[in-house]
Structures are given as structure tokens and as C-alpha cells.
Amino acid sequence: NRLELEERAVRAGRHSGDLVHPLVYSPELFKDEFKSKVADMKNSVKDRMNAQSSCAGTFIEQHLDKDYKGEWLHIDMAG
């Protein structure tokens, strides 16, 4: 949720030899992906071709306490 945190994470990843790249984070584009008829939101995207890693960040943010003011970062690791 902060550019400085993202930049620190990218530098750390590159320092460790990992292939890293910041992803687009636009929660307003992904909210419909989580609509559910039986829950507050689904833990899976509706369209599997729609930026799943960025959607995961949106899912995490929605579960932070509304009063939380600290930094947070989603790191998506593929195997």
C-alpha cells in the first residue's frame, strides 16, 4: 500500500537473486471478481485470465481491519 515498501521489497528480491517485478494494483478493477451469492466474497477469481496475482492483493486488503493504518505487501510466489 506504499510505494516505498514496494521499492524495498523489489530491491530485496533482486539482491537475493529472485526475478521480481511490481504488479499493477487497482482494486477498483477487480472487485467484481470476488462477488458471491453465499459469502461476503469468494476466495477465487471469477475469470482465471484476469490478473490473479493482483486480485490476490485486493482479497488480502479486504480482510485487513478497517482501522489498520500500517503498511502491508502481497508477495505472490509461483512454483
Side-chain angles (χ1 to χ4, degrees):
N1 67 339
R2 291 196 47 224
L3 180 59
E4 297 82 12
L5 178 60
E6 179 182 282
E7 290 170 345
R8 281 194 338 247
V10 168
R11 280 194 307 272
R14 290 184 178 148
H15 179 76
S16 68
D18 289 307
L19 299 173
V20 297
H21 186 78
L23 298 174
V24 173
Y25 182 70
S26 298
E28 64 277 7
L29 299 177
F30 303 126
K31 288 187 181 189
D32 287 345
E33 290 293 321
F34 299 101
K35 285 187 178 176
S36 170
K37 293 179 182 178
V38 296
D40 293 338
M41 65 188 311
K42 293 188 297 183
N43 184 13
S44 179
V45 293
K46 178 174 45 177
D47 180 356
R48 303 291 289 171
M49 300 299 289
N50 192 10
Q52 293 179 58
S53 296
S54 292
C55 287
T58 301
F59 183 83
I60 292 168
E61 181 184 37
Q62 294 300 313
H63 289 86
L64 294 174
D65 189 279
K66 300 285 186 224
D67 296 325
Y68 180 73
K69 301 295 183 207
E71 297 178 331
W72 65 273
L73 178 71
H74 170 64
I75 298 175
D76 200 87
M77 298 180 192

